[in-house]
């Protein structure tokens, strides 16, 4: 029996797992996808917000500001890419200046530091590519950009190093309250394997199921939650467009969210999006022409000749919008030992470190758990050879020639990095898993050249035949098993 | 009765539009070609169309699992499917070099199937 | 020469362009009395030959060898010539950076990361395929969406079928070739959709790859949706209007497990950009002069990194020219700083030319100017103007964007003339 089962291996679940792994507890994370970071955490704006948006006094406000302040220590301890580039909420001619001032006041109430309104001249000096009629902006120097994949993976790997188990490809179907525990009924669906029923017993449950958190909650509670999946589409632009803006550029928020932003990414690309469209499907991550048009139009409105012909991909993410509007982080009032981290929409990524801490403290207290004395606080990310000196790099290649072999030519990712991504704890098992960890395949050719080579490396390192290498687990086979006369099937 | 057939010449990238008037097996006229190749192509294409088939066969013990092959000469278009059926069943041992004859008489056409790429021993 | 610190000529890329450039440079050095020319070819793949290795179909070499070869056979002949000359090459070696001062930084498993100083460089890196993302195709992002070239590699080199039921977007040559290839291997190619009202591929490929197998080609159609969360389940195509926007109500959904994209090639000029080489926004390749030299002295370009070609024979010819001039540059230095310059310009249906600058002092007896047109035109004339004077007026029964055109300028045409501008245009009125 586990002390804690965390449902969902997104950034929230992994942050909770990492914080809980400080305590002497038997913990398991259960995730329906084949990897961590496969839902909302993988498709979002990759922003660490300063914290001026949310209503003062709300959990969103409190945890965003706290989470933002935790980032420097986390980045040092867990080694993932983050940069405090600052953000601007830009007001254009005709916008209501009172709204900008309201945001400033909110920010001050929420405890956001260094926040100020800047006027036209300073604004255009700061961001020369803003549209000419940008007249003022709320400047938040503490806002940042992050790699949401590696942030989530860092939490997960560190939790794993501290003894947390991960059950991937495992989808929770029901949760039953027993006398002294919860029994979770789940189905395990590994690619190319028959489905298998799994029963997991645990003293406590933490629901961090993102866009599915209402379904999980409603399995144990009479007080029903309702998540309304809200889709946002994005464009990712080539690195040649990466310095088009330096700060994260927002427009004044509306009732559907913070509007369409333009931001550099920590890896030097440019990100534009998201729109907001209420959809029926919790995994409805298809882009649509009308939404992409909307994102395009917004970029063209706010920026001078945005370089949209440098788009290398578009994608969509689902926000777990809960009807009551705030995060729900509590022990479920009518289900003792069941804890919700629900309705984690924006600023969920920014708040996740603080959510993890808050939830871990609640659960540890409930279980009267003591802190371990052998907690490993640090984790090293995948070695980035570009950060080495020439001598160090050549020494590395002498020791391990795979670091001299470029696989992804657009992002200059070596075989050594890909092997590291596969071999490390909770390592990648799919093309997308490798991509999220190393960026191989994320560049301008979008894996056209490197995918066959990366597939070979996965096949070799995981000891599976090539046809069992998937894009993202499940039935996402890249080369269907069956060919004419079975001529090319290699077992 | 005469029949008019419009062809696009595949002899070269120009892709000339050729018109052939045919009566049974008798060609009455060919127009629109701009070189002798075009004239000959039209004639063959109307009476007995041929194609060079290119594909791959399995290699045992090679660097790559397959190696490219081609029919040394064009074969009747109607024989493409039979040719492929035989190709599916061919396995060769590495090394393979360009020009190696892998089948003497593919699909009973009298044409050789030859390797059109190299594969070294692993 | 195992010390990788200096070479006279470095050629980046060992595909058809790099091979031809190396061979012709070698012969130029030899003709000038250099006993062992100092040439190094850097190739990122495991073998020489570049993309030709996966182009196992025939139709290569009609111009160069007067016979029809497959891609590997065509490459093989150039590789043999390279080896006969003992030209040095490194495989599995990725060039990371080049500078204006012609320093090339490269990396491989054996030598690690190293920087070589060159007297001249030939860029021959080739091109990449336009990706789904760059095409802004909406829908899900499941497995089963491949660029045609990736699928070609999987089938012809790795020996794997990427799918069984296929829709192809784009009628570029690789897409057409793959329609036939997949069909021969037992797949069902349901439709080839092409955004433009004309095909981007060669006519022979339409006939031999589509018509032979009754594969429908739908012009003025594009993909408007991709369904399937894990693997492709269906692709919806729709007709487009004259502004290339999908027309509502014309959607047709095709059940399939694979979508292949053959929607254009983009020269791979990240290294060139890093060296500050001036680019032609139409070709996405470097601007070059009659010697295939970029605006950075001593750096030359040829093949698909310069502009996307339809036939490899033209690549070899152009690369031979670049290689010879690069060798001359090594031998003689940059002689041509002074002297007359003629700008090559375009008008009326001609999209671009290569080269864009001619230095008459530096050109040989004849210079081939290659260009592409922007639409399909029938019964037109290709006109060449020297300033206001029409010099060439050549009838063409048909020109199309998918097929490269050329004119040959003879040195004697320029002699005794002071020409500022050479303009190439189509005359559409006399047809």
């Amino acid at each position: 029996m586990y002390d804690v089962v965390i449902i969902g291996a997104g950034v929230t679940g992994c942050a909770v797992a990492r914080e809980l792994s400080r305590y002497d507890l038997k913990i398991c994370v259960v995730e329906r996808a084949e990897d961590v970071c496969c839902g909302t955490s993988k498709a979002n704006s990759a922003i660490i917000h300063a914290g001026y948006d949310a209503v003062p006094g709300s959990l969103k406000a409190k945890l965003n500001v706290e989470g933002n302040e935790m980032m420097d220590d986390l980045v040092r301890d867990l080694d993932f890419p983050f940069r405090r580039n600052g953000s601007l909420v830009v007001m254009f001619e005709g916008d209501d200046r009172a709204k900008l001032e309201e945001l400033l006041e909110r920010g001050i109430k929420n405890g956001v530091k260094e926040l100020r309104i800047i006027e036209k001249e300073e604004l255009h000096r700061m961001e020369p590519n803003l549209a000419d009629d940008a007249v003022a902006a709320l400047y938040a120097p503490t806002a940042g950009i992050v790699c949401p994949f590696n942030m989530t993976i860092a939490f997960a790997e560190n939790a794993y190093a501290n003894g947390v188990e991960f059950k991937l490809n495992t989808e929770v179907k029901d949760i039953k309250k027993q006398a002294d525990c919860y029994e979770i009924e789940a189905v395990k669906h590994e690619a190319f394997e028959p489905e298998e029923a799994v029963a997991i017993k645990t003293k406590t449950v933490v629901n961090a199921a993102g866009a599915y958190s209402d379904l999980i909650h409603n399995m144990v509670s009479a007080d029903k939650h309702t998540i309304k999946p809200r889709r946002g589409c994005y464009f990712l632009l080539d690195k040649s467009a990466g310095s088009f803006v330096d700060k994260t550029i927002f427009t004044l928020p509306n009732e559907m969210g913070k509007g369409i932003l333009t931001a550099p990414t920590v890896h030097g690309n440019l990100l534009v999006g998201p729109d907001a469209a209420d959809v029926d499907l919790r995994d409805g991550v298809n882009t649509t022409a009308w939404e992409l048009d909307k994102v395009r139009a917004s970029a063209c409105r706010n920026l001078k000749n945005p370089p949209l012909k440098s788009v290398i991909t578009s994608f969509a993410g689902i926000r777990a919008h809960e009807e009551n509007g705030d995060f729900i982080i509590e022990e479920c009032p009518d289900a003792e030992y069941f804890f919700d981290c629900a309705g984690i929409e924006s600023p969920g990524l920014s708040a996740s470190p603080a959510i993890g801490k808050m939830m871990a403290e609640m659960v540890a207290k409930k279980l009267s758990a003591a802190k371990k004395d052998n907690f490993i606080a640090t984790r090293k990310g995948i070695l980035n050879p570009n950060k080495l000196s020439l001598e160090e790099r050549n020494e590395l290649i002498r020791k391990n020639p795979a670091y001299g072999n470029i696989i992804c030519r657009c992002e200059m990712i070596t075989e050594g990095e890909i092997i590291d991504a596969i071999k490390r704890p909770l390592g990648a098992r799919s093309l997308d898993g490798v991509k999220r960890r190393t960026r191989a395949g994320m560049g301008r050719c979008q894996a056209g050249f490197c995918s066959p080579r990366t597939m070979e490396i996965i096949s070799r390192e995981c000891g599976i035949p090539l046809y069992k290498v998937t894009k993202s687990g499940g039935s996402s086979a890249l080369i269907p098993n069956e060919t004419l006369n079975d001529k090319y099937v290699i077992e | 009765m005469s029949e008019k057939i419009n062809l696009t010449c595949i002899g070269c990238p120009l892709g000339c539009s050729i018109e052939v008037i045919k009566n049974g097996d008798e060609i009455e006229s060919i127009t629109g070609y701009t070189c002798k190749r075009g004239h000959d192509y039209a004639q063959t294409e109307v009476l007995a169309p041929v194609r060079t088939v290119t594909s791959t066969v399995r290699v045992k013990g090679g660097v790559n699992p397959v190696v490219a092959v081609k029919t040394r000469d064009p074969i009747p278009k109607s024989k493409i499917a039979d040719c492929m059926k035989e190709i599916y069943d061919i396995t060769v041992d590495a090394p393979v070099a360009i020009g190696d004859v892998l089948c003497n008489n593919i699909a009973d056409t009298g044409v050789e199937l030859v390797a059109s790429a190299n594969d070294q021993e692993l | 020469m195992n010390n990788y610190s200096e070479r006279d000529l470095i050629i980046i890329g060992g595909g058809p362009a790099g091979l031809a450039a190396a061979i012709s440079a070698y012969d130029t050095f030899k003709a000038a009395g250099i006993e062992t020319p100092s040439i190094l070819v850097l190739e990122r793949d495991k073998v020489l030959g570049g993309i030709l290795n996966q182009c196992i179909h025939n139709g290569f070499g009609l111009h160069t060898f007067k016979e029809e070869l497959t891609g590997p056979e065509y490459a093989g002949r150039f590789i043999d010539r390279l080896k006969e000359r003992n030209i040095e090459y490194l495989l599995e070696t990725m060039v990371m950076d080049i500078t204006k001062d012609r320093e090339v930084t490269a990396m491989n498993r054996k030598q690690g990361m190293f920087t070589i100083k060159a007297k001249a460089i030939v860029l021959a890196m080739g091109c990449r395929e336009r990706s789904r993302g760059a095409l802004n195709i909406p829908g899900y992002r499941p497995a089963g969406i491949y660029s045609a070239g990736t699928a070609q590699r999987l089938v012809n080199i790795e020996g794997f079928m990427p799918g069984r039921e296929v829709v192809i977007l784009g009628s570029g040559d690789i897409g057409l070739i793959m329609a036939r290839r997949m069909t021969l291997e037992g797949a069902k190619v349901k439709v080839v959709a092409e955004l433009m009202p004309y095909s981007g591929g060669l006519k022979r490929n339409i006939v031999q790859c589509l018509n032979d197998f009754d594969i429908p080609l739908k012009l003025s159609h594009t993909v408007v949706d991709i369904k399937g969360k894990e693997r492709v389940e269906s692709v919806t195509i729709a007709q487009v209007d004259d502004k290339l926007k999908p027309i509502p109500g014309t959607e047709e959904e095709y059940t399939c497990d694979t979508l292949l994209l053959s929607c254009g090639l983009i020269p791979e000029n990240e290294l060139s950009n890093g060296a500050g080489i001036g680019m032609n926004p139409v070709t996405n390749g470097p601007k070059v002069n009659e010697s295939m030299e970029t605006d950075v002295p001593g750096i030359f370009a040829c093949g698909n990194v310069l502009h996307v070609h339809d036939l490899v024979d033209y690549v070899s010819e152009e690369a031979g020219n670049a290689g010879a001039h690069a060798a001359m540059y090594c031998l003689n230095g940059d002689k041509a700083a002074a002297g007359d310059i003629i700008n090559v310009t375009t008008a009326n249906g001609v999209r671009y030319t290569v080269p864009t600058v001619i230095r008459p002092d530096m050109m040989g007896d004849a210079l081939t100017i290659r260009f592409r047109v922007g639409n399909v035109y029938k019964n037109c004339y290709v006109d060449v103007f020297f300033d206001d004077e029409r010099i060439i007026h050549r009838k063409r029964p048909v020109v199309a964007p998918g097929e490269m055109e050329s004119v040959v300028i003879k040195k004697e045409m320029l002699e005794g003339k002071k020409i500022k501008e050479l303009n190439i245009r189509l005359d559409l009125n006399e047809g």
Side-chain angles (χ1 to χ4, degrees):
Chain A
M1 168 136 51
Y2 293 102
D3 294 313
V4 191
V5 164
I6 299 162
I7 301 172
V11 70
T12 307
C14 292
V16 173
R18 193 244 173 183
E19 285 300 322
L20 265 177
S21 71
R22 294 175 188 275
Y23 296 88
D24 199 4
L25 291 168
K26 191 168 157 57
I27 305 162
C28 177
V29 178
V30 177
E31 167 59 46
R32 65 199 284 272
E34 54 107 27
D35 195 1
V36 304
C37 199
C38 279
T40 300
S41 307
K42 83 164 176 188
N44 56 68
S45 306
I47 297 297
I48 299 298
H49 292 279
Y52 46 74
D53 289 283
V55 183
S58 65
L59 277 174
K60 279 185 179 175
K62 174 176 176 287
L63 297 171
N64 180 352
V65 174
E66 275 180 35
N68 181 305
E69 286 175 355
M70 290 166 74
M71 286 303 285
D72 300 285
D73 287 348
L74 278 174
V75 167
R76 188 198 58 220
D77 289 348
L78 298 181
D79 190 25
F80 59 86
F82 169 69
R83 175 162 82 90
R84 284 196 197 277
N85 65 324
S87 72
L88 294 165
V89 181
V90 179
M91 145 185 182
F92 296 92
E93 269 166 30
D95 283 347
D96 185 1
R97 194 178 173 100
K99 282 191 178 163
L100 202 64
E101 278 160 5
E102 189 189 319
L103 276 182
L104 173 67
E105 274 171 42
R106 271 194 196 185
I108 292 167
K109 274 190 196 150
N110 291 347
V112 179
K113 291 174 186 141
E114 301 174 59
L115 207 55
R116 66 189 170 93
I117 287 177
I118 60 172
E119 299 303 326
K120 187 163 187 170
E121 197 195 335
E122 187 180 358
L123 177 60
H124 286 273
R125 226 182 311 125
M126 216 179 243
E127 292 294 349
N129 288 320
L130 278 177
D132 285 332
D133 68 340
V135 288
L138 178 68
Y139 176 39
T142 59
I145 49 180
V146 72
C147 171
F149 316 131
N150 277 310
M151 180 172 166
T152 306
I153 289 162
F155 284 139
E157 285 182 9
N158 187 235
Y160 184 89
N162 285 299
V164 174
E165 282 177 48
F166 282 77
K167 289 187 193 295
L168 302 173
N169 292 307
T170 305
E171 185 174 350
V172 172
K173 293 291 188 189
D174 204 1
I175 304 173
K176 298 239 166 74
K177 178 88 185 95
Q178 311 286 11
D180 57 344
C181 69
Y182 283 100
E183 184 167 322
I184 296 171
E185 293 170 8
V187 172
K188 188 161 191 216
H189 40 66
E190 297 257 14
F192 302 98
E193 300 292 332
E195 284 198 353
E196 188 191 333
V198 187
I200 306 164
K201 288 190 176 181
T202 178
K203 285 182 197 156
T204 60
V205 175
V206 175
N207 169 18
Y212 299 81
S213 60
D214 56 340
L215 302 182
I216 299 292
H217 168 93
N218 296 347
M219 291 173 186
V220 298
S221 171
D223 178 20
K224 302 299 180 196
H225 287 177
T226 311
I227 294 279
K228 277 199 167 168
R230 185 171 280 177
R231 178 169 62 212
C233 294
Y234 293 86
F235 287 116
L236 185 71
L237 277 66
D238 186 49
K239 286 182 174 173
S240 60
S243 54
F244 192 74
V245 298
D246 176 58
K247 314 271 177 285
T248 301
I249 310 294
F250 295 96
T251 54
L252 284 168
N254 60 32
E255 68 285 352
M256 288 294 272
K258 299 183 190 74
I260 291 168
L261 62 83
T262 305
T265 72
V266 276
H267 300 291
N269 297 86
L270 193 75
L271 187 65
V272 187
D275 68 310
D278 288 329
V279 293
D280 298 329
L281 294 172
R282 288 157 207 273
D283 55 355
V285 290
N286 54 317
T287 56
T288 61
W290 67 271
E291 285 174 272
L292 291 173
D293 284 347
K294 217 166 133 181
V295 174
R296 198 178 290 117
S298 167
C300 294
R301 162 69 189 85
N302 303 334
L303 304 165
K304 265 185 245 169
N305 305 317
L308 290 171
K309 72 174 182 41
S310 308
V311 166
I312 58 174
T313 190
S314 50
F315 62 90
I318 292 288
R319 333 219 228 316
H321 177 64
E322 223 290 330
E323 280 188 321
N324 87 354
D326 200 4
F327 296 156
I328 302 168
I329 298 172
E330 61 183 18
E331 184 174 5
C332 182
D334 64 346
E336 206 185 354
Y337 292 101
F338 183 96
F339 294 82
D340 277 313
C341 291
I344 311 296
E345 59 180 330
S346 179
L349 183 67
S350 320
S352 61
I355 296 173
K357 195 156 172 274
M358 179 179 172
M359 179 52 66
E361 281 165 8
M362 282 165 64
V363 173
K365 195 175 161 203
K366 186 81 186 176
L367 294 171
S368 310
K371 285 206 175 177
K372 292 191 248 195
D373 49 13
N374 58 350
F375 176 71
I376 304 159
T378 61
R379 164 264 185 193
K380 282 310 277 179
I382 291 171
L383 175 70
N384 179 354
N386 289 320
K387 289 190 176 164
L388 302 179
S389 70
L390 182 64
E391 291 72 28
E392 288 169 333
R393 191 163 185 163
N394 278 331
E395 184 54 31
L396 176 69
I397 296 169
R398 257 193 299 280
K399 281 189 190 147
N400 184 352
Y403 282 99
N405 185 21
I406 295 278
I407 300 295
C408 167
R409 32 168 119 156
C410 301
E411 296 290 317
M412 296 283 187
I413 307 299
T414 64
E415 186 181 356
E417 291 156 84
I418 293 174
I419 293 173
D420 186 357
I422 296 166
K423 287 290 185 191
R424 57 177 41 228
L426 288 176
R429 286 291 171 275
S430 65
L431 221 48
D432 281 359
V434 168
K435 179 168 89 171
R436 282 192 293 273
R437 282 168 180 79
T438 65
R439 302 184 55 70
M442 214 176 270
R444 46 184 77 90
C445 91
Q446 288 286 297
F449 287 115
C450 67
S451 53
R453 304 184 66 192
T454 306
M455 285 159 65
E456 275 171 41
I457 298 171
I458 295 172
S459 158
R460 185 186 72 210
E461 297 297 325
C462 297
I464 54 173
L466 201 59
Y467 74 84
K468 284 193 177 177
V469 177
T470 64
K471 180 172 183 286
S472 54
S475 51
S476 66
L478 290 151
I479 311 162
N481 182 353
E482 191 191 334
T483 63
L484 207 71
N485 292 350
D486 284 337
K487 76 184 264 214
Y488 300 132
V489 176
I490 299 163
E491 275 292 353
Chain B
M1 206 190 118
S2 295
E3 150 188 37
K4 192 168 89 180
I5 301 165
N6 291 310
L7 296 172
T8 304
C9 180
I10 62 168
C12 82
L14 272 182
C16 294
S17 298
I18 307 179
E19 191 180 288
V20 184
I21 313 249
K22 190 183 88 160
N23 192 342
D25 279 351
E26 200 86 355
I27 290 178
E28 291 180 351
S29 75
I30 302 179
T31 49
Y33 62 91
T34 51
C35 70
K36 187 176 178 300
R37 287 172 60 93
H39 178 274
D40 296 352
Y41 168 74
Q43 202 166 352
T44 327
E45 189 67 8
V46 168
L47 297 178
V50 291
R51 297 286 185 268
T52 297
V53 174
T54 59
S55 185
T56 54
V57 299
R58 275 171 296 189
V59 184
K60 249 192 209 156
V63 171
N64 294 316
V66 292
V67 69
V69 296
K70 68 171 188 182
T71 54
R72 195 186 292 278
D73 297 304
I75 63 166
K77 196 175 147 185
S78 57
K79 290 277 193 179
I80 294 177
D82 291 342
C83 173
M84 281 308 297
K85 271 183 206 143
E86 289 188 21
I87 285 175
Y88 295 146
D89 290 332
I90 296 175
T91 303
V92 298
D93 289 320
V96 188
I98 289 176
D100 285 359
V101 178
L102 309 179
C103 171
N104 289 318
N105 177 15
I106 191 91
D108 212 13
T109 54
V111 173
E112 289 173 341
L113 185 78
V114 295
S116 61
N118 302 313
D119 196 13
Q120 293 166 334
E121 275 179 274
L122 193 62
Chain C
M1 275 205 286
N2 292 320
N3 173 17
Y4 295 99
S5 62
E6 261 181 39
R7 292 294 183 274
D8 280 353
L9 176 59
I10 291 176
I11 293 169
I12 304 177
L19 291 169
I23 291 160
S24 126
Y26 182 96
D27 294 349
T28 307
F29 277 121
K30 280 294 233 191
I34 307 288
E35 203 44 50
T36 46
S38 159
I39 304 173
L40 174 63
V41 179
L42 299 173
E43 165 57 41
R44 57 192 159 199
D45 213 332
K46 286 179 190 163
V47 287
L48 293 169
I51 216 73
L52 284 175
N53 288 312
Q54 67 185 54
C55 299
I56 65 163
H57 54 282
N58 67 328
F60 299 92
L62 278 169
H63 294 249
T64 314
F65 298 110
K66 309 292 172 225
E67 59 180 306
E68 276 201 67
L69 302 174
T70 67
E73 289 172 328
Y74 186 93
R77 297 206 177 179
F78 279 87
I79 294 168
D80 289 347
R81 291 178 182 184
L82 187 94
K83 290 185 175 168
E84 280 161 17
R85 287 165 176 75
N86 258 324
I87 296 171
E88 186 188 19
Y89 60 92
L90 279 175
L91 299 176
E92 291 186 272
T93 302
M94 187 75 182
V95 174
M96 315 285 285
D97 183 51
I98 58 176
T99 68
K100 260 186 157 37
D101 305 322
R102 302 186 296 278
E103 286 184 338
V104 176
T105 301
M107 187 170 81
N108 65 25
R109 291 161 165 273
K110 220 169 157 186
Q111 277 83 23
M113 206 165 182
F114 55 99
T115 299
I116 323 174
K117 180 106 183 89
K119 286 187 186 146
I121 295 173
V122 175
L123 306 174
M125 292 90 76
C127 58
R128 64 168 176 270
E129 297 175 277
R130 192 164 275 128
S131 73
R132 182 252 174 114
L135 295 163
N136 290 319
I137 301 170
Y140 284 92
R141 300 194 301 152
I145 305 168
Y146 293 95
S147 62
T150 306
Q152 190 178 43
R153 185 182 169 91
L154 284 170
V155 177
N156 293 346
I157 306 281
E158 322 273 344
F160 277 98
M161 282 288 277
R164 312 291 303 171
E165 296 192 304
V166 186
V167 169
I168 299 178
L169 176 63
S171 60
D173 288 312
I174 318 167
L176 301 175
I177 294 285
M178 282 312 291
R180 174 176 64 187
R181 186 74 189 104
M182 299 282 286
T183 305
L184 288 178
E185 289 296 341
K188 173 77 188 154
V189 177
K190 298 199 162 176
V191 66
V192 176
E194 166 60 54
L195 179 69
M196 304 307 288
Y198 49 82
S199 162
L202 300 172
K203 277 183 186 144
R204 58 175 287 152
N205 287 334
I206 307 265
V207 174
Q208 286 200 335
C209 300
L210 301 188
N211 300 354
D212 272 6
F213 301 95
D214 296 323
I215 298 166
L217 171 63
K218 296 211 164 190
L219 298 174
S220 296
H221 278 71
T222 193
V223 172
V224 294
D225 198 14
I226 300 169
K227 291 205 178 96
K229 284 169 191 167
E230 298 186 318
R231 177 82 198 189
V232 173
E233 288 165 12
S234 80
V235 165
T236 304
I237 70 169
Q239 202 181 333
V240 297
D241 61 21
D242 52 7
K243 293 190 181 85
L244 308 180
K245 287 274 173 208
I247 303 169
T250 63
E251 296 86 358
E252 289 170 273
E253 190 173 340
Y254 290 85
T255 309
C256 60
D257 62 11
T258 304
L259 172 64
L260 297 189
L261 302 171
S262 176
C263 302
L265 301 168
I266 305 167
E268 288 233 277
N269 273 297
E270 282 64 40
L271 289 173
S272 326
N273 285 326
I277 291 167
M279 289 290 150
N280 180 339
V282 182
T283 57
N284 289 310
K287 290 181 200 160
V288 292
N289 61 26
E290 76 300 320
S291 305
M292 301 292 126
E293 186 181 13
T294 68
D295 62 1
V296 175
I299 301 186
F300 298 75
C302 56
N304 281 352
V305 79
L306 178 56
H307 60 133
V308 174
H309 293 64
D310 52 350
L311 291 187
V312 72
D313 302 76
Y314 299 152
V315 169
S316 302
E317 189 185 317
E318 178 186 280
N321 186 20
H325 280 100
M328 293 299 287
Y329 183 93
C330 293
L331 294 164
N332 304 331
D334 192 9
K335 281 199 318 192
D340 291 340
I341 280 180
I342 303 172
N343 287 307
V344 184
T345 58
T346 63
N348 208 20
V350 177
R351 285 181 59 232
Y352 74 82
T353 64
V354 171
T356 52
V357 172
I358 299 172
R359 298 170 300 177
D361 295 349
M362 295 296 289
M363 77 179 265
D365 292 341
L367 173 70
T368 303
I369 300 180
R370 301 192 196 282
F371 62 94
R372 282 193 193 252
V373 298
N375 208 331
V376 177
Y377 301 104
K378 286 188 174 160
N379 296 319
C380 60
Y381 288 81
V382 172
D383 286 358
V384 178
F385 281 74
F386 288 180
D387 292 327
D388 293 330
E389 183 193 355
R390 189 170 79 185
I391 300 294
I392 296 175
H393 183 62
R394 197 180 82 212
K395 186 158 172 60
R396 296 283 290 121
V398 61
V399 293
E403 295 179 21
M404 201 146 77
E405 297 290 325
S406 64
V407 293
V408 176
I409 305 296
K410 296 212 171 75
K411 183 133 187 169
E412 66 214 34
M413 294 174 166
L414 301 168
E415 256 152 26
K417 290 181 179 164
K418 262 287 192 211
I419 303 157
K420 283 205 189 83
E421 183 180 346
L422 187 158
N423 185 276
I424 301 183
R425 65 186 85 161
L426 297 182
D427 181 349
L428 308 172
N429 297 323
E430 292 183 35

